[in-house]
């Protein structure tokens, strides 16, 4: 491993994750793991990043409040994305 120590490795991982490229790859990988299916991952990611408010309740997304975290709601049977919504709506609103 080309890293001097564990902290150097962790710092590089954090820098990569916080980069636009790393954030995009991490998010798309997570969506695939959750069963989301898409023909155009790039367009889905761009749409996700552009949203500032929940599509269901119109609350503004806020990373400091867990109920207003931005999430991608999808149909668990088909894998099709439905909404970009807050965590509260994703868990409590039945569509």
């Amino acid at each position: 491993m080309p890293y001097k120590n564990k902290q150097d490795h962790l710092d590089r991982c954090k820098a990569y994750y916080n980069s636009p490229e790393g954030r995009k790859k991490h998010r798309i990988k997570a969506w695939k793991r959750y069963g989301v299916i898409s023909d155009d991952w790039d367009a889905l990611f761009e749409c996700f990043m552009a949203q500032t408010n929940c599509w269901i309740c119109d609350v503004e997304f806020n990373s400091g409040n867990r109920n207003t975290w931005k999430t991608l709601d999808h149909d668990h049977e088909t894998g099709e994305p439905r909404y970009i919504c807050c965590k509260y709506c994703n868990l409590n609103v039945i569509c």
Side-chain angles (χ1 to χ4, degrees):
M1 183 178 280
Y3 305 110
K4 296 176 188 171
N5 57 39
K6 184 178 180 179
Q7 188 59 47
D8 184 41
H9 176 69
L10 293 174
D11 291 343
R12 288 175 187 251
C13 288
K14 185 176 180 180
Y16 176 75
Y17 176 76
N18 289 327
S19 72
E21 176 188 351
R23 188 176 303 124
K24 180 177 180 178
K25 284 185 178 182
H26 178 77
R27 178 77 61 182
I28 291 172
K29 186 177 179 179
W31 288 338
K32 288 178 180 179
R33 193 171 53 244
Y34 296 140
V36 177
I37 297 171
S38 177
D39 293 333
D40 190 352
W41 291 105
D42 293 326
L44 182 60
F45 180 78
E46 294 304 321
C47 181
F48 181 82
M49 293 306 292
Q51 287 305 121
T52 57
N53 290 44
C54 176
W55 287 6
I56 298 171
C57 69
D58 201 38
V59 69
E60 186 175 351
F61 297 123
N62 178 356
S63 62
N65 179 348
R66 286 186 174 189
N67 282 332
T68 59
W69 283 350
K70 188 187 308 187
T71 60
L72 179 69
D73 180 53
H74 69 286
D75 185 315
H76 287 247
E77 291 180 13
T78 65
E80 292 294 318
R82 292 187 291 211
Y83 303 106
I84 298 169
C85 57
C86 65
K87 182 178 177 183
Y88 177 83
C89 289
N90 188 32
L91 295 175
N92 296 303
V93 176
I94 299 173
C95 301

